Amino acid sequence: DAGVTQSPTHLIKTRGQQVTLRCSPKSGHDTVSWYQQALGQGPQFIFQYYEEEERQRGNFPDRFSGHQFPNYSSELNVNALLLGDSALYLCASSPTSLYTDTQYFGPGTRLTVL
Amino acid sequence: AQSVTQLDSHVSVSEGTPVLLRCNYSSSYSPSLFWYVQHPNKGLQLLLKYTSAATLVKGINGFDAVFKKSETSFHLTKPSAHMSDAAEYFCVVSEWSSGNQFYFGTGTSLTVIP
């Protein structure tokens, strides 16, 4: 059973560009959350997708947007990149259930903005 | 509102000696509490999870956590450190009322000295 997968592994962009990161959830999971982890910090919640809609959002600007597809996979888009967007972006998946709220994380995408 | 404070940014122990990583949390309702481990250039791996009832939570790789509601603490322990335990450890709180959004601490870096 494959776990959460993310692509690409690494990405280098320049300021002002746009980037798309991809995530495939663990089998049987229908909820996808995205986190930003700056160097030396704990992950910060960006947003969560369920049934192809953004269900919750953290304190991130509108430059950060996402999408969830019918197969539950998800994309994170960041427009007008800033140097401060350089970070490890983590995707996490979980099943929708009253009985479990554990999130399973992918290996992340390392984004460097020059 | 939920929050997590990891009391030590760095902990150093000798191989074979006990490990204690401290975490205090703030939560309005009955929270779920987690410990995750992150090895260099890897994603986050779940060590253990607390939901209710038991004050001692058993995890993987010999780790346990002690939940104390009166102290709002959820400290991670291991009786004997191994070299492979060297990593970054994150304490996490979430609540069903907030859609299971994860709130991470800033992390504790564990060094194991041979």
Side-chain angles (χ1 to χ4, degrees), chain B residues 7 23-25 33 66-75:
Chain B
L7 300 171
C23 172
N24 286 351
Y25 70 92
L33 296 162
V66 179
F67 172 74
K68 293 186 177 180
K69 186 174 181 179
S70 60
E71 298 176 9
T72 60
S73 68
F74 189 56
H75 299 334

Side-chain angles (χ1 to χ4, degrees), chain B residues 2-65:
Chain B
Q2 304 97 318
S3 66
V4 171
T5 302
Q6 291 186 242
L7 300 171
D8 307 293
S9 58
H10 299 278
V11 170
S12 184
V13 300
S14 297
E15 189 176 18
T17 64
V19 175
L20 172 64
L21 306 183
R22 298 181 296 165
C23 172
N24 286 351
Y25 70 92
S26 173
S27 175
S28 303
Y29 301 101
S30 297
S32 291
L33 296 162
F34 306 81
W35 276 98
Y36 282 83
V37 60
Q38 186 175 38
H39 291 275
N41 301 312
K42 296 289 182 67
L44 292 158
Q45 181 186 16
L46 177 67
L47 282 177
L48 49 79
K49 170 186 175 182
Y50 167 86
T51 49
S52 64
T55 56
L56 178 64
V57 182
K58 294 288 187 180
I60 63 170
N61 301 336
F63 284 94
D64 298 330

Side-chain angles (χ1 to χ4, degrees), chain A residues 35 37 40-45 48 55-58 88 90 96-108 110, chain B residues 31-32 34 36 38 41-46 49 51 88 90 94-107:
Chain A
Y35 294 81
Q37 185 179 16
Q41 301 293 319
Q44 298 288 319
F45 175 74
Q48 182 181 84
R55 183 161 67 176
Q56 273 194 296
R57 189 179 183 91
L88 180 67
L90 295 164
T96 298
S97 168
L98 288 174
Y99 304 106
T100 179
D101 54 0
T102 302
Q103 296 185 22
Y104 296 85
F105 287 81
R110 174 75 62 186
Chain B
S32 291
F34 306 81
Y36 282 83
Q38 186 175 38
N41 301 312
K42 296 289 182 67
L44 292 158
Q45 181 186 16
L46 177 67
K49 170 186 175 182
T51 49
E88 190 82 16
F90 291 96
S94 76
E95 287 177 5
W96 178 255
S97 61
S98 63
N100 294 331
Q101 177 181 333
F102 272 19
Y103 294 86
F104 282 80
T106 51

